[in-house]
Amino acid sequence: MQLDLLYFAWIRERIGVPRERIETQAATIRDLIEQLRAMDDWHAAALADLSAVRVALDQELSDLDSPIAGVREVAFFPPMTGG
């Protein structure tokens, strides 16, 4: 399946692009992250500390074990705080 990946804030800065499209057979977000980490050092560095990364599937906040079947867009961003 093809997925559109979006990166925000320091994650985007570490990876070096705001978005990309990839082909994956990953079943969950965690599987997808493992695939991304294996791609290159930039992805590995940006996704090294999963406690500092949040993920949304088709604009809905999701946990790392969420399935990605049928998903079109995955967004990665740092935790946000309210004010």
Coordinates of all heavy atoms in Angstrom, one line a residue:
M1 N 0.8 -1.2 0.0 CA 0.0 0.0 0.0 C 0.9 1.2 0.0 O 2.0 1.2 0.5 CB -1.0 0.0 1.2 CG -0.6 0.8 2.4 SD -1.6 0.7 3.8 CE -0.8 -0.6 4.7
Q2 N 0.4 2.3 -0.6 CA 1.1 3.6 -0.6 C 0.5 4.5 0.5 O -0.7 4.5 0.7 CB 1.0 4.3 -1.9 CG 1.9 3.7 -3.0 CD 2.1 4.7 -4.1 OE1 1.4 5.7 -4.2 NE2 3.1 4.4 -4.9
L3 N 1.4 5.2 1.2 CA 1.0 6.1 2.3 C 1.7 7.4 2.0 O 2.9 7.5 1.6 CB 1.5 5.6 3.6 CG 0.8 4.4 4.2 CD1 1.5 4.0 5.5 CD2 -0.7 4.7 4.5
D4 N 0.9 8.5 2.3 CA 1.5 9.8 2.4 C 1.9 10.1 3.8 O 1.1 9.9 4.7 CB 0.5 10.9 1.9 CG 0.2 10.8 0.4 OD1 1.2 10.7 -0.3 OD2 -0.9 11.0 0.0
L5 N 3.2 10.5 4.0 CA 3.7 10.7 5.3 C 3.9 12.2 5.5 O 4.5 12.9 4.5 CB 5.0 10.0 5.6 CG 5.0 8.5 5.4 CD1 6.4 7.9 5.6 CD2 3.9 7.8 6.2
L6 N 3.5 12.8 6.6 CA 3.7 14.2 6.8 C 4.6 14.4 8.1 O 4.3 13.6 9.1 CB 2.4 14.9 7.1 CG 1.3 14.8 6.0 CD1 0.0 15.4 6.4 CD2 1.8 15.4 4.7
Y7 N 5.5 15.3 8.1 CA 6.4 15.5 9.2 C 6.3 17.0 9.7 O 6.3 17.9 8.8 CB 7.8 15.2 8.9 CG 8.0 13.8 8.3 CD1 8.4 13.6 7.0 CD2 7.8 12.7 9.1 CE1 8.6 12.4 6.4 CE2 8.0 11.4 8.5 CZ 8.4 11.3 7.2 OH 8.6 10.0 6.7
F8 N 6.2 17.2 11.0 CA 6.1 18.5 11.5 C 7.1 18.8 12.5 O 7.7 17.9 13.2 CB 4.7 18.7 12.2 CG 3.6 18.5 11.2 CD1 2.9 17.3 11.0 CD2 3.1 19.6 10.5 CE1 1.9 17.2 10.1 CE2 2.1 19.5 9.6 CZ 1.5 18.3 9.3
A9 N 7.4 20.1 12.7 CA 8.3 20.7 13.7 C 9.7 20.1 13.6 O 10.2 19.9 12.5 CB 7.7 20.5 15.1
W10 N 10.3 19.7 14.7 CA 11.7 19.2 14.7 C 11.8 17.9 14.0 O 12.9 17.5 13.5 CB 12.3 19.1 16.1 CG 11.6 18.3 17.1 CD1 10.7 18.7 18.0 CD2 11.6 16.9 17.2 NE1 10.2 17.7 18.7 CE2 10.8 16.5 18.2 CE3 12.4 15.9 16.6 CZ2 10.6 15.2 18.7 CZ3 12.2 14.6 17.0 CH2 11.3 14.2 18.0
I11 N 10.8 17.1 13.9 CA 10.8 15.8 13.1 C 11.1 16.1 11.7 O 11.9 15.5 11.0 CB 9.5 15.0 13.3 CG1 9.4 14.7 14.8 CG2 9.5 13.8 12.5 CD1 8.0 14.1 15.2
R12 N 10.3 17.1 11.1 CA 10.6 17.5 9.7 C 12.0 18.0 9.5 O 12.6 17.7 8.5 CB 9.6 18.6 9.4 CG 9.8 19.2 7.9 CD 8.9 20.3 7.6 NE 9.3 21.5 8.5 CZ 8.5 22.2 9.2 NH1 7.2 21.9 9.3 NH2 8.9 23.2 9.9
E13 N 12.5 18.8 10.5 CA 13.9 19.3 10.4 C 14.9 18.2 10.3 O 15.9 18.2 9.6 CB 14.1 20.3 11.5 CG 13.3 21.6 11.4 CD 13.4 22.4 12.6 OE1 14.2 22.2 13.5 OE2 12.6 23.4 12.7
R14 N 14.7 17.2 11.2 CA 15.7 16.1 11.2 C 15.6 15.2 10.0 O 16.6 14.7 9.5 CB 15.5 15.2 12.5 CG 15.9 15.9 13.7 CD 15.7 15.1 14.9 NE 16.0 15.9 16.1 CZ 15.9 15.5 17.3 NH1 15.4 14.3 17.6 NH2 16.2 16.3 18.3
I15 N 14.4 15.0 9.4 CA 14.3 14.1 8.3 C 14.7 14.9 7.0 O 15.2 14.4 6.1 CB 12.9 13.5 8.2 CG1 12.7 12.5 9.3 CG2 12.6 12.9 6.8 CD1 11.3 12.0 9.4
G16 N 14.4 16.2 7.0 CA 14.8 17.1 5.9 C 13.7 17.3 4.8 O 14.0 18.0 3.8
V17 N 12.6 16.7 5.0 CA 11.5 17.0 4.0 C 10.2 17.1 4.8 O 10.0 16.5 5.9 CB 11.3 15.8 3.0 CG1 12.5 15.8 2.1 CG2 11.1 14.5 3.6
P18 N 9.2 17.9 4.3 CA 7.9 18.0 5.0 C 7.0 16.8 4.8 O 6.1 16.6 5.6 CB 7.3 19.3 4.5 CG 7.9 19.4 3.1 CD 9.3 18.8 3.2
R19 N 7.2 16.1 3.6 CA 6.3 15.0 3.3 C 7.0 14.1 2.3 O 7.9 14.5 1.6 CB 5.0 15.5 2.7 CG 5.1 16.2 1.4 CD 3.8 16.7 0.8 NE 2.7 15.9 1.1 CZ 1.4 16.3 1.4 NH1 1.2 17.5 1.5 NH2 0.5 15.4 1.7
E20 N 6.5 12.9 2.3 CA 6.9 11.9 1.3 C 5.9 10.8 1.1 O 5.0 10.7 2.0 CB 8.3 11.3 1.7 CG 8.3 10.5 3.0 CD 9.7 10.1 3.4 OE1 10.5 9.8 2.5 OE2 9.9 10.0 4.6
R21 N 6.0 10.1 0.0 CA 5.1 9.0 -0.2 C 5.9 7.7 -0.2 O 7.0 7.7 -0.9 CB 4.4 9.2 -1.5 CG 3.5 8.0 -1.9 CD 2.6 8.3 -3.1 NE 1.5 9.0 -2.6 CZ 0.5 9.4 -3.3 NH1 0.4 9.1 -4.6 NH2 -0.6 10.0 -2.8
I22 N 5.5 6.7 0.5 CA 6.2 5.5 0.5 C 5.3 4.3 0.2 O 4.1 4.4 0.4 CB 6.9 5.2 1.9 CG1 5.9 5.1 3.0 CG2 7.9 6.4 2.2 CD1 6.5 4.3 4.2
E23 N 5.9 3.2 -0.1 CA 5.3 1.9 -0.3 C 5.6 1.1 0.9 O 6.7 1.0 1.4 CB 5.8 1.2 -1.6 CG 5.1 -0.1 -1.9 CD 3.7 0.1 -2.4 OE1 3.4 1.1 -3.0 OE2 2.9 -0.8 -2.1
T24 N 4.6 0.5 1.5 CA 4.8 -0.3 2.8 C 3.9 -1.5 2.8 O 2.8 -1.5 2.3 CB 4.6 0.6 4.0 OG1 5.0 -0.1 5.2 CG2 3.2 1.1 4.2
Q25 N 4.3 -2.5 3.6 CA 3.5 -3.6 3.9 C 3.3 -3.7 5.5 O 2.8 -4.7 6.0 CB 4.2 -4.9 3.5 CG 4.4 -5.0 2.0 CD 3.1 -4.9 1.2 OE1 2.1 -5.5 1.6 NE2 3.1 -4.2 0.1
A26 N 3.6 -2.6 6.1 CA 3.5 -2.5 7.6 C 2.0 -2.7 8.0 O 1.1 -2.2 7.3 CB 4.0 -1.1 8.1
A27 N 1.8 -3.3 9.1 CA 0.5 -3.6 9.6 C 0.1 -2.5 10.7 O -1.1 -2.2 10.8 CB 0.4 -5.0 10.3
T28 N 1.1 -2.0 11.4 CA 0.8 -1.0 12.4 C 1.7 0.2 12.3 O 2.7 0.1 11.6 CB 1.0 -1.6 13.8 OG1 2.4 -1.9 14.0 CG2 0.2 -2.9 14.1
I29 N 1.4 1.2 13.1 CA 2.3 2.4 13.1 C 3.7 2.0 13.5 O 4.7 2.4 13.0 CB 1.7 3.5 14.0 CG1 0.4 4.0 13.4 CG2 2.8 4.6 14.1 CD1 -0.3 5.0 14.3
R30 N 3.8 1.1 14.5 CA 5.1 0.7 15.1 C 5.9 0.0 14.0 O 7.1 0.2 13.8 CB 4.9 -0.3 16.3 CG 6.1 -0.5 17.1 CD 5.8 -1.4 18.3 NE 4.8 -0.8 19.2 CZ 5.1 0.1 20.1 NH1 6.3 0.5 20.3 NH2 4.1 0.5 20.9
D31 N 5.2 -0.9 13.2 CA 5.9 -1.5 12.0 C 6.4 -0.5 11.0 O 7.5 -0.6 10.5 CB 4.9 -2.5 11.3 CG 4.5 -3.7 12.2 OD1 5.2 -4.0 13.2 OD2 3.4 -4.2 11.9
L32 N 5.5 0.5 10.7 CA 5.9 1.5 9.8 C 7.1 2.3 10.3 O 8.1 2.6 9.5 CB 4.7 2.5 9.6 CG 5.0 3.7 8.7 CD1 5.4 3.3 7.3 CD2 3.8 4.6 8.7
I33 N 7.2 2.6 11.6 CA 8.3 3.3 12.2 C 9.6 2.5 12.0 O 10.6 3.1 11.7 CB 8.0 3.7 13.6 CG1 7.0 4.8 13.7 CG2 9.3 4.1 14.3 CD1 6.4 5.2 15.0
E34 N 9.5 1.2 12.2 CA 10.7 0.4 12.1 C 11.2 0.4 10.6 O 12.4 0.5 10.4 CB 10.4 -1.1 12.5 CG 10.3 -1.2 14.0 CD 11.5 -0.7 14.8 OE1 12.6 -1.0 14.4 OE2 11.3 0.1 15.7
Q35 N 10.2 0.4 9.7 CA 10.6 0.5 8.3 C 11.3 1.8 8.0 O 12.3 1.9 7.3 CB 9.4 0.3 7.4 CG 9.7 0.5 5.9 CD 8.4 0.5 5.0 OE1 7.4 0.0 5.4 NE2 8.6 0.9 3.8
L36 N 10.7 2.9 8.5 CA 11.3 4.2 8.3 C 12.7 4.4 8.9 O 13.6 4.9 8.3 CB 10.4 5.3 8.9 CG 9.0 5.5 8.1 CD1 8.1 6.4 8.9 CD2 9.2 5.9 6.7
R37 N 12.9 3.8 10.1 CA 14.2 3.9 10.8 C 15.2 3.2 10.0 O 16.4 3.6 10.0 CB 14.1 3.2 12.2 CG 13.4 4.0 13.2 CD 13.3 3.2 14.5 NE 12.9 4.0 15.6 CZ 12.5 3.4 16.8 NH1 12.5 2.1 16.9 NH2 12.1 4.1 17.8
A38 N 14.9 2.1 9.3 CA 15.8 1.3 8.5 C 16.2 2.0 7.2 O 17.2 1.7 6.5 CB 15.3 0.0 8.2
M39 N 15.4 3.0 6.8 CA 15.6 3.7 5.5 C 16.9 4.5 5.5 O 17.7 4.4 4.5 CB 14.5 4.6 5.2 CG 13.2 3.9 4.7 SD 11.8 5.0 4.4 CE 12.4 6.3 3.5
D40 N 17.2 5.3 6.5 CA 18.4 6.1 6.5 C 18.6 6.7 7.9 O 17.8 6.5 8.8 CB 18.4 7.2 5.5 CG 17.2 8.1 5.6 OD1 16.9 8.6 6.7 OD2 16.5 8.3 4.6
D41 N 19.8 7.3 8.1 CA 20.1 7.9 9.4 C 19.2 9.0 9.8 O 19.0 9.2 11.0 CB 21.6 8.4 9.4 CG 22.6 7.3 9.3 OD1 22.2 6.1 9.6 OD2 23.7 7.5 9.0
W42 N 18.6 9.8 8.9 CA 17.8 10.9 9.2 C 16.5 10.4 9.8 O 16.0 10.9 10.8 CB 17.5 11.8 8.0 CG 18.7 12.4 7.4 CD1 19.4 13.5 7.9 CD2 19.5 11.9 6.3 NE1 20.5 13.7 7.2 CE2 20.6 12.8 6.2 CE3 19.4 10.8 5.4 CZ2 21.6 12.6 5.2 CZ3 20.3 10.6 4.5 CH2 21.4 11.5 4.4
H43 N 15.9 9.4 9.2 CA 14.6 8.9 9.8 C 14.9 8.2 11.1 O 14.1 8.3 12.0 CB 14.0 7.8 8.8 CG 13.3 8.4 7.6 ND1 14.1 8.8 6.5 CD2 12.1 8.8 7.4 CE1 13.2 9.3 5.6 NE2 12.0 9.3 6.1
A44 N 16.0 7.5 11.2 CA 16.4 6.8 12.4 C 16.5 7.8 13.6 O 16.0 7.6 14.7 CB 17.7 6.0 12.3
A45 N 17.2 8.9 13.3 CA 17.4 9.9 14.4 C 16.1 10.6 14.7 O 15.8 10.8 15.9 CB 18.4 11.0 13.9
A46 N 15.3 10.9 13.8 CA 14.0 11.6 14.1 C 13.0 10.7 14.8 O 12.3 11.2 15.6 CB 13.4 12.1 12.8
L47 N 13.1 9.4 14.6 CA 12.1 8.5 15.3 C 12.8 7.6 16.3 O 12.2 6.6 16.7 CB 11.5 7.7 14.2 CG 10.7 8.4 13.1 CD1 10.3 7.5 12.0 CD2 9.5 9.2 13.7
A48 N 13.9 8.1 16.8 CA 14.7 7.3 17.8 C 13.9 7.2 19.2 O 13.8 6.2 19.8 CB 16.0 7.9 18.0
D49 N 13.4 8.3 19.6 CA 12.7 8.4 20.9 C 11.2 8.5 20.7 O 10.7 9.6 20.5 CB 13.2 9.6 21.7 CG 12.6 9.7 23.1 OD1 11.8 8.8 23.5 OD2 12.8 10.8 23.7
L50 N 10.5 7.4 20.8 CA 9.1 7.3 20.5 C 8.3 8.0 21.5 O 7.1 8.4 21.3 CB 8.6 5.9 20.2 CG 9.2 5.3 19.0 CD1 8.7 3.9 18.8 CD2 9.0 6.1 17.7
S51 N 8.8 8.3 22.7 CA 8.1 9.0 23.7 C 7.9 10.5 23.4 O 7.1 11.2 23.9 CB 8.8 8.9 25.1 OG 10.0 9.6 25.1
A52 N 8.7 10.9 22.4 CA 8.7 12.3 22.0 C 8.0 12.5 20.6 O 8.1 13.5 20.0 CB 10.1 12.9 21.9
V53 N 7.3 11.4 20.2 CA 6.6 11.5 18.8 C 5.2 11.1 19.0 O 4.8 10.1 19.7 CB 7.3 10.5 17.9 CG1 6.6 10.4 16.5 CG2 8.8 10.8 17.7
R54 N 4.3 11.9 18.4 CA 2.9 11.6 18.3 C 2.6 11.3 16.8 O 3.2 11.8 15.9 CB 2.0 12.7 18.8 CG 2.3 13.1 20.3 CD 1.8 12.0 21.2 NE 2.2 12.3 22.6 CZ 3.3 11.8 23.2 NH1 4.1 11.1 22.6 NH2 3.5 12.1 24.4
V55 N 1.5 10.5 16.6 CA 1.1 10.1 15.3 C -0.4 10.3 15.1 O -1.2 10.0 16.0 CB 1.5 8.6 15.1 CG1 1.2 8.2 13.7 CG2 3.0 8.4 15.3
A56 N -0.7 10.7 13.9 CA -2.2 10.8 13.5 C -2.4 10.0 12.2 O -1.6 10.1 11.3 CB -2.6 12.2 13.3
L57 N -3.4 9.2 12.2 CA -3.8 8.5 11.0 C -5.0 9.2 10.4 O -6.0 9.3 11.1 CB -4.2 7.0 11.3 CG -3.1 6.2 12.0 CD1 -3.6 4.8 12.3 CD2 -1.8 6.1 11.1
D58 N -4.9 9.6 9.2 CA -5.9 10.4 8.5 C -6.5 11.5 9.4 O -7.7 11.6 9.6 CB -7.0 9.4 8.0 CG -6.5 8.6 6.8 OD1 -5.6 9.0 6.1 OD2 -7.1 7.5 6.6
Q59 N -5.6 12.2 10.1 CA -5.9 13.3 11.0 C -6.6 13.0 12.3 O -7.2 13.8 12.9 CB -6.7 14.4 10.2 CG -6.0 14.9 9.0 CD -6.8 16.0 8.3 OE1 -7.8 16.4 8.7 NE2 -6.2 16.4 7.2
E60 N -6.4 11.7 12.7 CA -7.0 11.3 14.0 C -5.8 10.7 14.8 O -5.1 9.8 14.4 CB -8.0 10.2 13.8 CG -8.7 9.8 15.1 CD -9.8 8.8 14.9 OE1 -10.6 8.9 13.9 OE2 -9.9 7.8 15.7
L61 N -5.6 11.3 16.0 CA -4.5 10.9 16.9 C -4.6 9.4 17.2 O -5.7 8.9 17.5 CB -4.6 11.7 18.2 CG -3.4 11.6 19.1 CD1 -2.2 12.1 18.5 CD2 -3.7 12.3 20.4
S62 N -3.5 8.7 17.1 CA -3.5 7.2 17.2 C -2.3 6.8 18.0 O -1.3 7.5 18.1 CB -3.4 6.6 15.8 OG -4.5 7.0 15.0
D63 N -2.4 5.6 18.6 CA -1.3 5.0 19.3 C -0.4 4.2 18.4 O -0.8 3.9 17.2 CB -1.7 4.3 20.6 CG -2.5 3.0 20.3 OD1 -2.1 2.3 19.4 OD2 -3.5 2.8 20.9
L64 N 0.7 3.8 18.9 CA 1.7 3.1 18.0 C 1.3 1.7 17.5 O 1.8 1.2 16.6 CB 3.1 3.0 18.7 CG 3.7 4.3 19.1 CD1 5.0 4.1 19.8 CD2 4.0 5.1 17.8
D65 N 0.4 1.1 18.2 CA -0.1 -0.2 17.8 C -1.4 -0.2 17.0 O -1.9 -1.2 16.7 CB -0.3 -1.1 19.1 CG 1.0 -1.3 19.8 OD1 2.0 -1.7 19.1 OD2 1.1 -1.1 21.0
S66 N -1.8 1.0 16.5 CA -2.9 1.1 15.7 C -2.7 0.5 14.3 O -1.6 0.7 13.7 CB -3.3 2.6 15.5 OG -3.7 3.2 16.7
P67 N -3.6 -0.2 13.8 CA -3.5 -0.7 12.4 C -3.5 0.4 11.4 O -4.2 1.4 11.6 CB -4.6 -1.7 12.3 CG -5.6 -1.3 13.2 CD -4.9 -0.6 14.4
I68 N -2.8 0.2 10.3 CA -2.8 1.2 9.2 C -3.5 0.8 7.9 O -3.5 1.5 6.9 CB -1.4 1.7 8.9 CG1 -0.4 0.6 8.5 CG2 -0.8 2.5 10.2 CD1 0.9 1.1 8.1
A69 N -4.1 -0.4 8.0 CA -4.9 -0.8 6.8 C -5.9 0.2 6.4 O -6.7 0.7 7.3 CB -5.5 -2.2 7.0
G70 N -6.0 0.6 5.1 CA -7.0 1.5 4.7 C -6.6 3.0 4.9 O -7.3 3.9 4.5
V71 N -5.5 3.3 5.6 CA -5.1 4.6 5.9 C -4.4 5.2 4.7 O -3.7 4.6 4.0 CB -4.2 4.6 7.1 CG1 -3.5 6.0 7.3 CG2 -4.9 4.2 8.4
R72 N -4.7 6.5 4.5 CA -4.0 7.2 3.3 C -2.9 8.2 3.8 O -2.0 8.4 3.1 CB -5.0 8.0 2.5 CG -6.0 7.1 1.7 CD -6.9 7.9 0.9 NE -8.1 8.1 1.8 CZ -8.9 9.2 1.7 NH1 -8.6 10.1 0.7 NH2 -9.9 9.3 2.5
E73 N -3.0 8.7 5.0 CA -2.1 9.7 5.5 C -1.7 9.5 6.9 O -2.5 9.2 7.8 CB -2.7 11.1 5.4 CG -1.9 12.2 5.9 CD -2.7 13.5 5.9 OE1 -2.7 14.2 4.9 OE2 -3.3 13.8 7.0
V74 N -0.3 9.5 7.2 CA 0.2 9.4 8.5 C 1.0 10.6 8.8 O 1.9 11.0 8.0 CB 1.1 8.1 8.6 CG1 1.7 8.0 10.0 CG2 0.4 6.9 8.2
A75 N 0.7 11.3 9.9 CA 1.4 12.5 10.3 C 2.2 12.2 11.6 O 1.7 11.6 12.5 CB 0.4 13.6 10.5
F76 N 3.5 12.7 11.6 CA 4.3 12.5 12.8 C 4.6 13.9 13.3 O 5.0 14.8 12.5 CB 5.7 11.9 12.4 CG 5.5 10.5 11.9 CD1 5.3 10.1 10.6 CD2 5.6 9.4 12.8 CE1 5.2 8.8 10.2 CE2 5.4 8.1 12.4 CZ 5.2 7.8 11.1
F77 N 4.5 14.1 14.6 CA 4.7 15.4 15.2 C 5.1 15.3 16.7 O 4.8 14.2 17.3 CB 3.5 16.3 15.1 CG 2.2 15.7 15.5 CD1 1.7 15.8 16.8 CD2 1.5 14.9 14.6 CE1 0.5 15.2 17.2 CE2 0.3 14.2 15.0 CZ -0.2 14.4 16.3
P78 N 5.7 16.3 17.3 CA 6.1 16.2 18.7 C 4.8 16.4 19.6 O 3.8 17.0 19.1 CB 7.1 17.3 18.9 CG 6.8 18.3 17.8 CD 6.2 17.5 16.6
P79 N 4.9 16.1 20.8 CA 3.8 16.3 21.7 C 3.5 17.8 21.8 O 4.4 18.6 21.7 CB 4.3 15.8 23.1 CG 5.4 14.9 22.8 CD 6.0 15.4 21.5
M80 N 2.2 18.1 22.0 CA 1.8 19.5 22.1 C 1.3 19.8 23.5 O 0.8 18.9 24.2 CB 0.7 19.8 21.1 CG 1.1 19.6 19.7 SD -0.3 19.6 18.6 CE -1.0 18.0 18.9
T81 N 1.5 21.1 23.9 CA 1.0 21.5 25.2 C 0.0 22.6 25.0 O 0.1 23.3 24.1 CB 2.1 22.0 26.1 OG1 2.8 23.1 25.5 CG2 3.1 20.8 26.4
G82 N -0.9 22.7 25.9 CA -1.9 23.7 25.9 C -1.5 24.9 26.7 O -0.5 24.9 27.5
G83 N -2.2 26.0 26.5 CA -1.8 27.2 27.2 C -3.0 28.0 27.8 O -4.1 27.7 27.6

